[in-house]
Amino acid sequence: MNKVKCLIIGSGPAGYTAAIYAGRANLAPVLIEGPQLGGQLTTTTEVENFPGYPDGVDPFTMMDDMRRQAERFGTTFVSGIVTKVDFSVSPKKVWVEDTDLYEADAVIIATGASAKYLGIESERTYKGRGVSACATCDGFFYRKKTVAVVGGGDTACEEANYLAGLCEKVYMIVRKPFLRASEIMQQRVLNNPKIEVLFEHNTLQLTGDGKVQGADLIYRKGEPDEAMKHIDIDGFFLAIGHHPNTELFKDYIARDAEGYIITEGNSTQCYKSQMSNDKCQILPGIFAAGDCADPHYRQAIVAAGSGAKAAIEADKYIKSL
Ligand code: NDP
């Protein structure tokens, strides 16, 4: 058993920033890295909107900078996945890989969010054989080939632009008649001659012999001009949003209908999952930061800011014990 003051779960901008602040507050934080070192940001190509990097920065460099900064102030990093928690007792119990038990006065949850899939069967059939949710990770395999990106948000536009730099042609499959992405990202997509946006199309199934070779789409389903369309593609990239990684905590803390952790007002303090007398009750010592508690902004800079808040609040809580 390991006894710690402040345990941080997650290694994205929220987790690392919480570690920097907790380290500087002499809490000797322990950070459990989780399945994706550096978090979701490492699946993007370039970060252009994090202050302090006027020329943009490669996300791996940025996350490594944050990690080294956390290390400098005494953070211990544990490579592994949290498999079980017990927040009904104090100190809180957290198990890593089912075997290593950590007891912590305060826990900061910074587990982020994961990519969503459409839920069609052929997506599972071809996973790793043409289906991907990370253009930066897998785009290289599709050099000079034709791919499709599903989604019309900032992520989809970013991925389509990135893939257009490698591939011969990129289709964007967008279910609405417009893109939801920010104006600057829309313009980059619409002005890129390698990208063809298929508005009002949905994917019915992927086809191919052992790997993705095509996709069957439907245009304006249920409308008088409904039509089928087949595209020949080698890769199919999902960019339709994310769901929060909070399932593990559902018995102890309150979450909204989509699974995002609900925090108290402007703080990072979590509520108990069970209401008492129709009232939400604070669960002392548990704080949430970053995308796992943020259905609105989902930005690295916002996640980092909430990580700082969580560590300041955890420090105050620990000192009150
Ligand atoms: P969004 O939720 O913004 O967009 C998801 C897109 O996927 C929408 O176009 C949505 O369509 C579509 N979609 C969702 N479900 C389906 C489905 N089942 N079938 C087909 N299409 C579907 O997610 P993002 O990941 O793009 O962005 C999340 C947040 O992160 C946003 O706030 C964004 O601004 C931010 N972000 C910022 C970046 C930056 O500033 N550099 C980079 C990347 C993300 P519909 O519009 O019809 O709902």
Side-chain angles (χ1 to χ4, degrees):
M1 194 269 290
N2 307 275
K3 178 80 180 71
V4 299
K5 284 186 192 157
C6 178
L7 187 94
I8 299 162
I9 310 175
S11 60
Y16 282 151
T17 308
I20 293 166
Y21 275 71
R24 295 187 81 251
N26 270 342
L27 297 181
V30 169
L31 183 148
I32 316 293
E33 290 168 342
Q36 190 171 24
L37 185 64
Q40 260 185 87
L41 205 67
T42 56
T43 66
T44 62
T45 35
E46 199 190 354
V47 182
E48 289 182 333
N49 51 9
F50 201 93
Y53 296 99
D55 303 318
V57 61
D58 154 45
F60 290 99
T61 305
M62 188 172 113
M63 297 319 295
D64 194 50
D65 284 350
M66 285 193 195
R67 183 188 176 85
R68 287 191 293 115
Q69 200 169 347
E71 197 167 27
R72 180 180 153 208
F73 296 112
T75 303
T76 302
F77 299 99
V78 175
S79 146
I81 296 172
V82 173
T83 48
K84 197 168 86 170
V85 298
D86 184 353
F87 291 164
S88 65
V89 289
S90 280
K92 319 295 176 207
K93 292 185 175 179
V94 172
W95 283 266
V96 177
E97 309 290 359
D98 284 330
T99 48
D100 294 344
L101 170 62
Y102 288 80
E103 287 192 353
D105 291 330
V107 174
I108 297 174
I109 302 171
T111 46
S114 299
K116 278 185 189 164
Y117 285 78
L118 291 173
I120 55 175
E121 200 179 319
S122 46
E123 216 172 26
R124 278 190 294 277
T125 314
Y126 297 109
K127 201 165 174 185
R129 284 182 288 158
V131 172
S132 166
C134 177
T136 328
C137 320
D138 302 328
F140 188 74
F141 302 117
Y142 300 92
R143 275 170 305 158
K144 299 197 167 49
K145 295 191 171 172
T146 298
V147 298
V149 176
V150 190
D154 277 318
T155 305
C157 289
E158 206 172 79
E159 305 236 322
N161 266 308
Y162 173 73
L163 289 165
L166 294 168
C167 305
E168 193 164 287
K169 179 171 177 90
V170 179
Y171 291 104
M172 274 186 82
I173 305 169
V174 180
R175 67 181 176 182
K176 293 236 171 85
F178 54 86
L179 294 169
R180 181 202 282 227
S182 53
E183 193 56 35
I184 185 170
M185 295 306 288
Q186 290 194 32
Q187 287 314 316
R188 281 184 197 169
V189 159
L190 297 171
N191 293 332
N192 192 323
K194 281 193 179 173
I195 303 176
E196 180 179 343
V197 185
L198 301 173
F199 287 110
E200 296 186 81
H201 282 78
N202 275 291
T203 312
L204 293 177
Q205 63 165 350
L206 301 170
T207 58
D209 189 8
K211 60 179 183 173
V212 171
Q213 290 172 317
D216 292 330
L217 313 180
I218 186 160
Y219 171 68
R220 286 172 59 83
K221 186 174 181 210
E223 299 299 323
D225 54 352
E226 174 184 311
M228 302 294 289
K229 182 178 176 75
H230 179 85
I231 52 174
D232 290 327
I233 51 169
D234 305 289
F236 185 78
F237 289 84
L238 281 308
I240 59 168
H242 295 83
H243 62 83
N245 300 318
T246 60
E247 195 64 18
L248 194 64
F249 314 108
K250 69 174 193 298
D251 292 342
Y252 301 100
I253 59 174
R255 305 180 306 154
D256 71 9
E258 284 184 77
Y260 287 94
I261 297 170
I262 301 169
T263 52
E264 187 215 13
N266 196 25
S267 88
T268 63
Q269 175 77 64
C270 295
Y271 289 110
K272 285 183 183 168
S273 59
Q274 311 291 340
M275 288 197 297
S276 155
N277 302 328
D278 287 341
K279 278 193 172 166
C280 294
Q281 276 190 325
I282 292 292
L283 179 57
I286 306 291
F287 305 88
D291 285 13
C292 64
D294 178 11
H296 303 294
Y297 302 106
R298 295 177 284 185
Q299 300 294 303
I301 186 67
V302 179
S306 70
K309 280 167 63 175
I312 292 168
E313 288 167 7
D315 181 40
K316 202 168 154 197
Y317 169 76
I318 291 166
K319 292 209 167 96
S320 75
L321 291 175

